[in-house]
């Protein structure tokens, strides 16, 4: 929902329906001053209300299933070979042949680097074999099995991948694969002795047909062919504008007798202070047949500001999609639902449906999306609306630094009111976004995004503001996240986070202008 949509219900009660009366000659009379004062205070009350209308998470909201885009090539099924890139980048070979890390800490850091380039190397057999070997070495045989099966489908003759595949199955309680591979290698002379010795020495409890120990049991991220991923984060920080409030010393009203400025005895200022943000998500994927992926997920977010509890918000999001591969093309149907509320914020819900078409070309991933949304407020039904829009986006590796990914997105939409008397009428929005992400050293990565948007109403906002001017909103938002992989025993995959965001909204109507800055730090982990 745009800021314009969020503000409409708060201001509608104070401004809609006010009509110009008879124009007086000369200075306003006493009645005009009283009427103007009453309207000014009504407008200020509306401005205070709009300040807490829309809760906005500190990071740009996106579909909670983006992590599964890279998983789509594996999908939990061995038959999804068609998902691989036709020509994986050459740097994947160099990554696959890098020296093997000697310590668990170095292996975890190397695994982190490999995960960063997985979308570009998903069709490279050697890369996938190395990725699977690292997961196996770090005690995650089920995760290793996903990538080792994929690697062997692309190149079945890899001896190292064959051995790791058999060991992963043995760790998951299927020792017959290891024994069968040893039997196949019995008369071969091209099998390196250390590799054969490794298989022979792996005859622990798993090799004798016993159940694996708990440390080697199937992780919680695979259940009967389904792959799922759950993660949580807890951040603490500071915001300079918790309620996205304007900064006003005076307000000017357009009256029948002319424009009248009012100085505010108590100027409006944004509320600032410390806050905590919690985020938990659960995502699930399954491939029922070759080329088809079914995905769903839930995400819950909340912010709490101890000194300004009225600005607290909660946000629950559900998303699901089904996609099918046809050669180089992938079609996708998307569904989603959002619920947003807070102590002083009017709750609303939003439903969404979308159709997307993806294709890999010239080393980049391109997407075209058509979507429709329906938004319903708890009490301010005049703010309800339906949005139809389209999006084009592309993601590419940087030529000089292929581990870095750059993305560009353009979006156009039109929001039509469900009730004809909504303030501002139809809203048309255009936006553009730029995103850059990649590694900084061995354990750290950065993700930065810049987004600019413009919203314009089709009708004047109010006769009391700038002679019923049509409202125009412009917003620029810069977000940066630094994530550093931690090496904590018993806490695999934990990351230290630093997030910063700056936002500025401009408008031809002063009550809609605001800016803010937030900075948060904390930890994100799998659960």
């Amino acid at each position: 929902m745009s800021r314009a949509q969020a503000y409409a219900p708060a201001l509608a009660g104070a401004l809609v329906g006010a009509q110009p009366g008879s124009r007086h000659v000369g200075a306003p009379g006493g009645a005009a001053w009283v009427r103007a004062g009453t309207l000014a205070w009504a407008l200020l009350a509306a401005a205070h209300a709009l300040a807490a209308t829309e809760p906005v998470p500190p990071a740009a909201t996106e579909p909670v299933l983006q992590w599964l885009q890279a998983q789509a090539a594996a999908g939990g099924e061995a038959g999804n070979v068609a998902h691989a890139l036709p020509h994986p980048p050459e740097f994947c070979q160099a990554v696959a042949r890098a020296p093997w890390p000697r310590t668990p800490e170095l292996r975890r850091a190397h695994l982190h680097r490999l995960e960063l380039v997985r979308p570009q190397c998903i069709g490279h057999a050697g890369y996938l074999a190395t990725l699977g070997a690292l997961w196996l070495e770090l005690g995650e045989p089920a995760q290793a099995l996903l990538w080792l099966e994929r690697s062997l489908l692309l190149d079945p003759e890899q001896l190292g991948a064959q051995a790791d595949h058999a060991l992963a199955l043995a760790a998951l309680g299927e020792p017959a694969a290891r024994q069968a591979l040893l039997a196949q290698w019995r008369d071969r002379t091209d099998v390196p002795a250390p590799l054969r010795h490794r298989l022979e020495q792996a005859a622990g409890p798993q090799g004798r047909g016993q159940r694996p120990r708990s440390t080697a049991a199937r992780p919680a991220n695979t259940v009967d062919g389904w792959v799922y991923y759950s993660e949580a984060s807890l951040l603490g920080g500071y915001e300079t504008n918790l309620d996205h409030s304007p900064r006003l010393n005076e307000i000017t009203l357009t009256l029948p007798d002319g424009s009248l400025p009012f100085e505010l005895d108590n100027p409006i200022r944004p509320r600032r202070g410390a806050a905590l943000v919690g985020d938990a998500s659960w995502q699930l994927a399954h491939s029922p047949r070759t080329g088809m992926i079914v995905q769903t997920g839930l995400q819950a977010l909340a912010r709490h500001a101890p000194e300004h509890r009225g600005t607290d918000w909660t946000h629950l999001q559900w998303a699901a999609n089904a996609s099918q591969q046809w050669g180089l093309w992938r079609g996708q149907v998307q569904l989603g639902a959002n619920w947003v509320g807070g102590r002083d914020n009017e709750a609303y819900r939003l439903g969404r449906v979308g159709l997307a078409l993806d294709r890999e070309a010239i080393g980049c991933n391109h997407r075209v999306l058509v979507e429709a949304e329906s938004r319903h407020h708890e009490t301010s039904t005049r703010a309800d609306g339906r949005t139809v829009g389209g999006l084009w986006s592309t993601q590419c590796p940087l030529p000089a630094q292929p581990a870095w990914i750059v993305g560009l997105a353009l979006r156009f939409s039109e929001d039509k009111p469900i009730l004809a008397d909504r303030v501002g009428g139809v809203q048309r929005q255009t936006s553009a976004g730029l995103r850059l992400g990649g590694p900084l050293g061995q354990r750290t990565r950065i993700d930065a995004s810049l987004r600019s948007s413009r919203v314009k109403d089709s009708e004047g906002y109010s006769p009391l503001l700038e002679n019923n001017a049509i409202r125009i909103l412009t917003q620029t938002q810069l977000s940066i996240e630094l994530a550093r992989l931690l090496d904590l025993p018993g806490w695999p995959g934990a990351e230290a986070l630093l997030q910063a965001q700056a936002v500025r909204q401009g408008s031809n109507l002063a009550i809609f202008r605001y800016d803010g800055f937030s900075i948060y730090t904390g930890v994100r982990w799998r659960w």
Side-chain angles (χ1 to χ4, degrees):
M1 182 176 69
S2 71
R3 293 294 306 177
Q5 296 161 1
Y7 290 162
L11 293 172
L15 302 179
V16 171
Q19 300 294 330
S22 302
R23 185 172 183 84
H24 296 277
V25 179
W33 281 101
V34 172
R35 180 161 50 92
T38 303
L39 290 171
W41 283 113
L43 184 57
L44 293 179
H48 281 292
L50 70 87
T53 301
E54 182 189 8
V56 178
T61 55
E62 297 180 352
V64 300
L65 302 173
Q66 280 193 346
W67 74 280
L68 288 169
Q69 294 304 319
Q71 293 270 14
E77 289 285 323
N80 292 333
V81 182
H83 300 177
L85 293 177
H87 304 288
E90 294 182 1
F91 73 87
C92 300
Q93 182 73 9
V95 172
R97 292 185 175 180
W100 187 257
R102 295 183 178 181
T103 67
E105 293 77 13
L106 292 176
R107 284 193 283 272
R108 279 191 285 270
H110 189 45
L111 177 63
H112 184 65
R113 292 194 296 272
L114 289 179
E115 290 287 353
L116 289 173
V117 299
R118 187 171 64 184
Q120 291 74 52
C121 299
I122 201 67
H124 191 279
Y127 163 85
L128 292 170
T130 303
L131 184 62
L134 280 169
W135 278 114
L136 182 63
E137 193 80 8
L138 294 172
E140 297 278 0
Q143 190 73 258
L145 195 63
L146 292 174
W147 308 116
L148 292 167
E149 287 181 347
R150 170 77 179 171
S151 176
L152 290 172
L153 283 166
L154 294 172
D155 183 4
E157 299 303 317
Q158 301 174 94
L159 296 178
Q162 291 178 22
D164 287 334
H165 182 262
L167 291 172
L169 286 172
L172 293 170
E174 301 178 28
R178 186 192 63 83
Q179 297 163 358
L181 185 59
L182 280 174
Q184 293 176 18
W185 285 1
R186 184 173 295 116
D187 298 325
R188 292 184 59 167
T189 59
D190 59 338
V191 178
L195 197 59
R196 189 192 302 271
H197 180 70
R198 184 185 179 198
L199 272 185
E200 292 172 344
Q201 293 299 312
Q206 293 84 3
R208 295 189 293 272
Q210 299 178 22
R211 298 292 296 172
R213 297 188 302 270
S214 59
T215 55
R218 182 179 294 271
N221 60 346
T222 57
V223 176
D224 297 330
W226 290 80
V227 178
Y228 71 84
Y229 185 90
S230 51
E231 112 179 340
S233 66
L234 183 61
L235 306 174
Y238 186 86
E239 295 195 32
T240 63
N241 196 340
L242 289 161
D243 46 7
H244 287 188
S245 169
R247 184 183 297 270
L248 293 176
N249 294 314
E250 68 173 22
I251 191 166
T252 301
L253 299 181
T254 302
L255 301 174
D257 305 299
S259 296
L260 197 63
F262 284 88
E263 271 211 39
L264 305 179
D265 293 334
N266 296 306
I268 297 177
R269 293 290 183 266
R271 286 178 279 184
R272 59 177 63 209
L276 295 173
V277 174
D279 179 0
S281 63
W282 180 82
Q283 302 140 30
L284 180 70
H286 179 55
S287 181
R289 63 172 185 265
T290 300
M292 186 176 185
I293 308 288
V294 179
Q295 309 169 27
T296 188
L298 282 172
Q299 183 182 34
L301 304 98
R303 188 192 69 186
H304 173 60
E307 296 180 359
H308 302 286
R309 297 187 178 185
T311 66
D312 293 353
W313 51 256
T314 56
H315 181 193
L316 179 65
Q317 178 178 353
W318 168 79
N321 66 62
S323 63
Q324 178 65 51
Q325 185 90 23
W326 296 283
L328 298 177
W329 297 88
R330 172 169 289 277
Q332 189 176 85
V333 178
Q334 303 176 350
L335 297 173
N338 292 55
W339 296 266
V340 179
R343 179 174 172 178
D344 294 341
N345 301 314
E346 181 183 357
Y348 70 88
R349 65 186 187 277
L350 185 146
R352 177 179 175 275
V353 61
L355 297 174
L357 192 62
D358 295 4
R359 174 164 179 170
E360 300 282 351
I362 59 172
C364 301
N365 178 272
H366 308 278
R367 162 170 288 200
V368 177
L369 170 69
V370 177
E371 60 183 352
E373 295 179 350
S374 180
R375 185 184 62 263
H376 299 275
H377 292 77
E378 191 173 74
T379 56
S380 303
T381 57
R382 282 191 296 180
D384 296 350
R386 296 188 178 98
T387 302
V388 176
L391 176 141
W392 170 83
S393 66
T394 185
Q395 286 189 341
C396 305
L398 291 178
Q401 296 288 337
W404 284 72
I405 305 299
V406 61
L408 174 66
L410 302 174
R411 186 177 187 271
F412 307 89
S413 65
E414 183 176 86
D415 184 274
K416 294 184 177 181
I418 295 177
L419 300 177
D421 61 347
R422 187 178 75 177
V423 176
V426 177
Q427 296 174 351
R428 294 179 177 86
Q429 182 182 49
T430 58
S431 63
L434 184 65
R435 191 167 189 173
L436 179 67
L440 294 175
Q442 295 186 348
R443 292 174 171 266
T444 306
R445 72 174 188 274
I446 186 172
D447 189 354
S449 63
L450 177 65
R451 180 178 179 271
S452 179
S453 63
R454 183 178 188 269
V455 178
K456 184 177 181 180
D457 293 346
S458 63
E459 302 174 5
Y461 191 80
S462 169
L464 294 175
L465 294 176
E466 301 294 336
N467 289 307
N468 203 30
I470 290 176
R471 177 181 50 179
I472 299 174
L473 304 176
T474 59
Q475 188 180 99
T476 302
Q477 179 176 292
L478 174 65
S479 302
I480 299 176
E481 178 184 277
L482 287 171
R484 181 171 179 82
L485 187 66
L486 300 175
D487 184 20
L488 301 176
W491 209 2
E495 294 179 311
L497 300 179
L498 177 64
Q499 296 178 348
Q501 183 182 87
V503 60
R504 176 181 290 271
Q505 179 166 288
S507 176
N508 59 328
L509 304 180
I511 61 173
F512 295 105
R513 300 172 193 157
Y514 75 90
D515 57 66
F517 176 78
S518 65
I519 185 165
Y520 283 87
T521 185
V523 181
R524 179 166 56 210
W525 68 95
R526 293 173 55 184
W527 56 276

